[in-house]
Amino acid sequence: MCVGLSAKVVKLDKGMALIDTQGVQRQVSAQLLTDLEPGDYVMVHAGIAIAKIQSSDTEEAHTVLTALTNKDN
Amino acid sequence: MQSTVLLAHGGGGAQTRDLIAQVFQNHLANPEFTQDDAAILKLGQEHIAFSTDGFIVQPYFFPGGDIGKLSICGTVNDLSCMGAQPKWLTCAFVLEEGLPLKDLDTIVASMAATAKEVGVNIVAGDTKVASKGQVDRIFITTSGIGQIITPNPPAGSLAQNNDAIIVTGDIGRHGAAILLAREQFGLEAEITSDCAPLWHLVRKLYAAQIDIHVIRDATRGGVGTVLYEIAAQSNVGIHIQQKAIPIEPQVQGICRILGLDPLYLACEGRLVLFVPQDKAQDTVELLQKEAHGQNAAIIGYVDAKQKAGTVVVETEIGAVTVLPQPTGELLPRIC
Amino acid sequence: MFNDTELAHTTIEDARTIITTYTGKPLRIMEVCGTHTHEIFRLGIRQLLPPKITLISGPGCPVCVTPVSYIDQALWLGLEQRAIICTFGDLIRVPGTTMSLGDARKEGLELRLVYSPLDAIQIAKENPTREVVFLSIGFETTVPGECLAVQEAKAEGLANFSLLLANKTMPEAYLALKNSADAFLFPGHVCAITGTQDCRALTKLGISGVVAGFTAQELMTALAAILILSRQDKPFFMNCYPRVVADCGNVAAQKLIQSILAPCDSEWRGLGVIPKSGLKLREEFQDFDAQRRFHIPHLESHANAACRCGDVLQGKCLPKDCKVFGKACTPTHPIGACMVSSEGTCAAYYQYGGM
């Protein structure tokens, strides 16, 4: 249902963020996130930044799998 | 059959094929009517290729080209796909009242430059002017005659098991450039169209004695549509590797944002080649030395293990799954 | 970002081993989100599953659950009221009673595809003499953007902009689908807005699931997590997408939604009316409600009776069990909404050859 786009914040101005993904840029609304800074990564859906991304999917998958297998053993 | 013509009929996919079969083939079928990009005809002792193509594009100027360049590349590439050296072109213009003459001049100059690059002459033309609103500014149709330079011309039906499948460059740039030029989705990127005449690539491969089974230019519908066409015409299965497909990062970015598959974005300067496996590496190396061939890559092979008519993809997790076919208009998938 | 190809490869391999060597009890896992369905098919994850695991595609494609009557209303606004209709892409192919929005273009419907609800605001500003209606569909993830559009329209006093609402919310749907699966892949981007409380609380009702992201690694990891957690014989919950989903969700978005919208009953195509599963504009934003603004009359809407999208959406039958699937109903001529979007279950089954 909800195609998300992970993108890097390039610039912030008046509630809007210029984001970049693989060299493609777009203005999106940053009104729903606080404490954003250029260089942060955000998840964008339909032109709105909905969440700040905390780590890579690799790190996350690794952490989740480690937690599970440790619990398991 | 639908009661009216829909945009999807022009998409180059299944609905385009239906329209051709139900209307055009239905009335026009004859022994020389072709399913390929150009008809091969015998004239005395000579074999010639004969092709025609109509061009509409909005906007008519775009990064990397314009409708004039496009109209020459389209017919030149269609002839090249038959192993034919483009010899003569004709062009017909339908112009809308009010079109700036300056723009027309730029477009025709660009046609001349592209024709010169290929070494082909435009030998006849026609002009019609339509009143405002009857057409969208400028439509161009070009036709061309080429001389077949190989005793074994390629054809869409000649793909053989284990053939390597090669694309002559990174894919989808024309489609992405046009999407950007329309300024519809607020996206900014520096993507230029891949629009280019490709006769020199084909000539080079024949000069090196490469036995090419199939050449097809990936235009509307993109490389994915070509693969399905060849799978059907040659009655073979096709296996491609996701990771092997050359795609420029910015094109990938556009596709991620809009939920599109780059395999179905239009190209206007990319060939898909089927060559014997043992010639694949040589072919790629030859192509990479040429303009418009630097990013050539082997993307897959004809796979006897797959059902005839199907195209499968080896995905990034190593699973093998069917490549979904497009269903008419390319629509962004957002929510 | 943070590219680590080697570790990525290892985690995928680890997850794959957990999935392919699964020997526990048979499990039905429902991916609720259409984007999950799409990615699972695209990546070929189904091909890796042992026979004991069944993946069921749930009702999380907004295009798929939008009822016929909604399309008819949008057609009426565009054709009878000559409003400019702004929408996300896929919706234009969904059949209404007589035609789809895409078909209606040849009848003169002015249709604009947009990337964001905020783009529709721009279109309204550029066309001050025309009515501009945004087709507001989507779940919790999409709703905040639609609220931002309303907020901006109100702040700027835009008098020619309105929304035709058919938004849906997930919590009630989980309950309605309770018996359709043993565990859910919860939709990551919905949870990015709502937080995890709703899903976590479902364990008390015996409903298990994990929050999943959308990349190959995230989906494989989430499936592996379900398989491991299923070994304990009690309902479980885990957030497998913490890099995007905070437990509290996006509080600013939640507040925004609450200030503009209120829950209402909502019709889901195939599932019927689910109480409190929709959203309506609060009293002070009524000017932006296309329903009220245009006094849309009652329209006689009919879905094709042969279509079994409703059963498919609940996992009660597979697409191939529907009589029209792959025959009268194909992606080029869809009869039911599930055949329209590439996120739709029927379209996915058709495209991927029933796999």
Side-chain angles (χ1 to χ4, degrees):
Chain A
M1 62 185 98
C2 310
V3 178
L5 173 76
S6 59
K8 188 174 179 173
V9 176
V10 179
K11 215 163 56 182
L12 286 154
D13 187 29
K14 298 190 190 87
M16 297 299 282
L18 180 68
I19 53 117
D20 181 297
T21 183
Q22 292 176 293
V24 184
Q25 301 197 329
R26 194 187 199 278
Q27 290 285 346
V28 303
S29 168
Q31 290 175 76
L32 300 179
L33 298 180
T34 47
D35 306 330
L36 269 190
E37 285 175 29
D40 285 344
Y41 282 83
V42 289
M43 188 57 72
V44 175
H45 171 74
I48 319 291
I50 58 166
K52 189 168 155 179
I53 300 177
Q54 309 294 345
S55 70
S56 75
D57 61 341
T58 300
E59 285 173 5
E60 176 187 79
H62 182 69
T63 313
V64 169
L65 284 176
T66 309
L68 281 167
T69 33
N70 285 346
K71 200 190 287 181
D72 202 38
N73 290 336
Chain B
M1 190 159 63
Q2 296 272 347
S3 59
T4 53
V5 173
L6 304 174
L7 274 175
H9 282 127
Q15 277 165 291
T16 306
R17 288 200 293 279
D18 289 350
L19 186 74
I20 292 172
Q22 289 166 5
V23 181
F24 299 115
Q25 219 151 7
N26 185 23
H27 292 291
L28 305 176
N30 62 65
E32 286 161 331
F33 192 93
T34 181
Q35 287 195 47
D36 282 315
D37 289 325
I40 293 189
L41 307 167
K42 200 165 180 218
L43 203 62
Q45 291 309 305
E46 284 286 321
H47 280 93
I48 60 164
F50 187 23
S51 178
T52 190
D53 211 339
F55 299 85
I56 56 175
V57 61
Q58 201 275 315
Y60 53 69
F61 294 124
F62 49 83
D66 57 43
I67 189 170
K69 181 178 181 187
L70 198 63
S71 72
I72 302 300
C73 295
T75 293
V76 162
N77 293 345
D78 280 353
L79 293 171
S80 305
C81 286
M82 310 312 295
Q85 176 169 13
K87 287 286 189 186
W88 302 286
L89 301 183
T90 66
C91 55
F93 294 86
V94 181
L95 308 174
E96 186 187 22
E97 174 188 24
L99 177 78
L101 262 179
K102 186 167 69 64
D103 288 0
L104 180 62
D105 192 67
T106 309
I107 289 167
V108 177
S110 145
M111 292 173 78
T114 313
K116 193 171 170 205
E117 185 185 338
V118 182
V120 62
N121 284 326
I122 300 167
V123 294
D126 178 59
T127 310
K128 296 284 182 292
V129 178
S131 56
K132 187 118 195 121
Q134 266 192 301
V135 297
D136 186 12
R137 298 190 291 175
I138 178 165
F139 297 169
I140 303 178
T141 301
T142 57
S143 301
I145 290 176
Q147 183 179 24
I148 300 207
I149 62 156
T150 162
N152 302 308
S157 57
L158 296 178
Q160 290 169 26
N161 275 330
N162 216 28
D163 274 358
I165 303 169
I166 292 167
V167 291
T168 57
D170 60 290
I171 68 168
R173 268 208 270 140
H174 181 73
I178 293 293
L179 256 172
L180 286 174
R182 286 184 186 156
E183 296 176 359
Q184 198 182 359
F185 297 108
L187 305 173
E188 299 278 344
E190 283 176 15
I191 299 176
T192 50
S193 167
D194 45 38
C195 179
L198 301 172
W199 164 242
H200 66 292
L201 295 181
V202 175
R203 188 184 55 204
K204 177 96 185 232
L205 296 181
Y206 279 117
Q209 310 287 319
I210 306 279
D211 172 27
I212 317 171
H213 295 158
V214 181
I215 313 177
R216 188 62 63 91
D217 64 332
T219 54
R220 65 183 172 177
V223 170
T225 301
V226 167
L227 296 176
Y228 267 104
E229 279 171 13
I230 304 303
Q233 274 180 264
S234 294
N235 206 30
V236 294
I238 286 176
H239 183 125
I240 57 169
Q241 275 162 318
Q242 185 75 51
K243 284 182 184 162
I245 303 167
I247 305 168
E248 196 175 276
Q250 297 195 28
V251 173
Q252 189 74 265
I254 300 261
C255 288
R256 282 183 58 214
I257 295 172
L258 298 178
L260 303 173
D261 188 338
L263 278 170
Y264 290 112
L265 280 185
C267 312
E268 287 293 346
R270 295 292 179 255
L271 301 175
V272 181
L273 307 168
F274 287 60
V275 301
Q277 198 62 246
D278 61 351
K279 291 286 183 200
Q281 206 49 46
D282 292 353
T283 305
V284 167
E285 281 166 21
L286 285 167
L287 290 167
Q288 285 175 345
K289 288 187 201 126
E290 297 295 313
H292 313 302
Q294 293 92 334
N295 297 317
I298 302 168
I299 61 164
Y301 60 98
V302 177
D303 185 356
K305 291 200 295 291
Q306 305 303 332
K307 205 170 95 190
T310 60
V311 180
V312 300
V313 196
E314 190 176 325
T315 70
E316 63 232 58
I317 59 164
V320 174
T321 186
V322 176
L323 174 72
Q325 294 202 61
T327 51
E329 242 182 303
L330 276 189
L331 295 172
R333 192 169 54 88
I334 292 158
C335 94
Chain C
M1 69 192 282
F2 321 102
N3 208 347
D4 189 341
T5 324
E6 209 169 306
L7 186 61
H9 187 71
T10 319
T11 49
I12 287 198
E13 285 310 310
D14 288 352
R16 183 209 294 269
T17 308
I18 295 167
I19 293 167
T20 52
T21 59
Y22 177 77
T23 52
K25 60 191 180 221
L27 274 183
R28 294 170 306 158
I29 302 172
M30 179 178 271
E31 84 269 2
V32 181
C33 171
T35 305
H36 279 157
T37 307
H38 186 269
E39 288 303 302
I40 286 168
F41 274 103
R42 188 185 70 76
L43 291 164
I45 288 178
R46 280 169 186 260
Q47 273 80 295
L48 303 178
L49 300 178
K52 282 189 170 172
I53 303 172
T54 316
L55 272 183
I56 303 166
S57 306
C61 155
V63 167
C64 302
V65 295
T66 301
V68 177
S69 57
Y70 182 79
I71 301 297
D72 290 345
Q73 290 178 347
L75 285 167
W76 184 84
L77 290 171
L79 292 173
E80 304 297 322
Q81 303 294 309
R82 313 307 296 172
I84 297 175
I85 303 292
C86 301
T87 178
F88 298 129
D90 277 351
L91 198 64
I92 76 166
R93 301 183 57 235
V94 177
T97 299
T98 55
M99 64 181 117
S100 69
L101 290 160
D103 294 339
R105 279 182 296 198
K106 61 181 191 285
E107 315 281 325
L109 179 85
E110 199 171 327
L111 198 58
R112 304 281 185 90
L113 297 187
V114 295
Y115 174 68
S116 169
L118 298 176
D119 299 347
I121 292 281
Q122 201 52 41
I123 292 170
K125 285 182 192 166
E126 286 161 9
N127 296 275
T129 60
R130 301 283 305 276
E131 285 287 338
V132 173
V133 178
F134 178 74
L135 302 185
S136 183
I137 63 164
F139 293 87
E140 286 92 333
T141 324
T142 318
V143 171
E146 288 151 347
C147 288
L148 284 174
V150 171
Q151 199 178 43
E152 190 175 331
K154 188 160 176 103
E156 304 212 2
L158 260 190
N160 62 330
F161 177 76
S162 58
L163 302 184
L164 185 64
L165 276 92
N167 295 98
K168 308 269 186 274
T169 52
M170 287 313 295
E172 300 302 318
Y174 297 140
L175 296 178
L177 293 163
K178 185 177 162 179
N179 299 318
S180 300
D182 302 309
F184 289 95
L185 280 179
F186 290 123
H189 292 148
V190 165
C191 295
I193 300 295
T194 61
T196 57
Q197 302 91 320
D198 289 335
C199 299
R200 212 179 278 277
L202 290 171
T203 51
K204 295 201 189 78
L205 301 166
I207 302 175
S208 294
V210 303
V211 178
F214 298 84
T215 68
Q217 292 184 69
E218 287 166 344
L219 279 164
M220 296 283 282
T221 302
L223 284 170
I226 288 181
L227 302 189
I228 289 176
L229 294 168
S230 297
R231 291 184 203 158
Q232 53 186 38
D233 270 325
K234 59 177 195 219
F236 57 84
F237 171 84
M238 183 172 184
N239 179 3
C240 297
Y241 195 29
R243 73 190 186 107
V244 169
V245 175
D247 280 334
C248 61
N250 185 325
V251 178
Q254 293 162 15
K255 284 187 182 150
L256 175 72
I257 296 172
Q258 268 169 23
S259 70
I260 292 177
L261 301 169
C264 67
D265 299 349
S266 183
E267 184 188 350
W268 297 53
R269 187 186 285 242
L271 304 182
V273 174
I274 302 180
K276 304 272 176 233
S277 68
L279 292 164
K280 61 176 184 194
L281 285 159
R282 289 190 183 276
E283 205 49 46
E284 57 269 43
F285 296 98
Q286 287 300 327
D287 291 351
F288 302 102
D289 182 352
Q291 286 276 4
R292 285 231 192 155
R293 186 186 191 93
F294 295 95
H295 307 287
I296 302 179
H298 176 74
L299 305 164
E300 284 295 331
S301 295
H302 303 285
N304 189 306
C307 167
R308 292 187 66 189
C309 280
D311 291 338
V312 170
L313 288 171
Q314 297 172 81
K316 285 186 186 166
C317 79
L318 285 175
K320 65 178 168 52
D321 302 323
C322 170
K323 275 189 197 138
V324 289
F325 172 78
K327 299 182 186 89
C329 183
T330 63
T332 23
H333 301 289
I335 287 178
C338 300
M339 189 58 98
V340 172
S341 169
S342 59
E343 295 194 353
T345 312
C346 294
Y349 269 76
Y350 184 88
Q351 295 281 16
Y352 290 93
M355 283 192 271

